[in-house]
Amino acid sequence: MRAVVIHESLTGNTEKAAEFMVARLAEAGVEAVSCPTTAVDYQALAAADLVIIGSWTDGLFLFGQKPGRAARIAQLPYLTGKRAAVYCTYAIETGRTLPKLEELVRGLGADVVGGMAIRRNRLAEGAEEFVDRLLGVVAA
Ligand SMILES: Cc1cc2nc3c(=O)[nH]c(=O)nc-3n(C[C@H](O)[C@H](O)[C@H](O)COP(=O)(O)O)c2cc1C
């Protein structure tokens, strides 16, 4: 299986989470790479059986949350026929960030099989838990 993790990151947390995911996927024998939304690895994307897309939570901390720079995600290539999963990183409260991200990725034609909000003070643990859960779903 091959996977690609595409991240939209302002201060580095979402990117770090992507790197932890790639490491965990590799441990499980999945060929995985990560890339930012601004420099998509099209070759890896074309070959991927699983596409993980992540962004950060942008809002007024307790309300109005949405995926950061959502327009960059909406402009990703079509993912018709691909399995995808979404994640967001956050500080305090995600509101509807995750369902909004899921909707965006579904709009690209992907079959969204999972999602997770990862708090910025537990990026490694969250990323590993997410990958383990996803592998349970896609391997089934
Ligand atoms: C402009 C701005 C708005 C934010 N709004 C929220 C918010 O509403 N709720 C929240 O929990 N975190 C909020 N955060 C925190 C980020 O979502 C969090 O630090 C995230 O991990 C950043 O990811 P990044 O380092 O990949 O950019 C905000 C951060 C910024 C810069």
Side-chain angles (χ1 to χ4, degrees):
M1 187 164 86
R2 292 178 190 193
V4 61
V5 186
I6 303 175
H7 55 80
E8 173 52 52
S9 188
L10 186 67
T11 61
N13 296 334
T14 313
E15 180 177 7
K16 267 187 219 144
E19 285 162 6
F20 286 125
M21 287 176 202
V22 166
R24 188 66 160 196
L25 285 160
E27 272 174 27
V30 178
E31 209 178 296
V33 293
S34 67
C35 59
T37 52
T38 49
V40 173
D41 183 335
Y42 292 106
Q43 212 174 341
L45 181 59
D49 308 293
L50 176 67
V51 183
I52 301 175
I53 298 179
S55 187
W56 48 285
T57 300
D58 181 14
L60 299 170
F61 284 86
L62 291 179
F63 55 91
Q65 297 95 340
K66 59 182 191 300
R69 291 181 176 152
R72 289 186 180 175
I73 291 161
Q75 283 162 16
L76 289 172
Y78 283 110
L79 301 174
T80 313
K82 297 237 184 240
R83 276 193 291 201
V86 294
Y87 72 96
C88 65
T89 64
Y90 71 105
I92 300 169
E93 170 60 53
T94 60
R96 289 190 43 77
T97 301
L98 206 54
K100 284 176 184 170
L101 197 51
E102 198 172 318
E103 202 177 305
L104 274 172
V105 173
R106 204 170 280 131
L108 296 171
D111 173 19
V112 181
V113 297
M116 184 161 157
I118 301 175
R119 201 166 187 155
R120 69 182 179 189
N121 61 357
R122 54 182 304 273
L123 296 174
E125 302 92 314
E128 288 171 8
E129 188 186 323
F130 184 41
V131 165
D132 291 351
R133 262 204 245 159
L134 284 175
L135 291 179
V137 173
V138 295

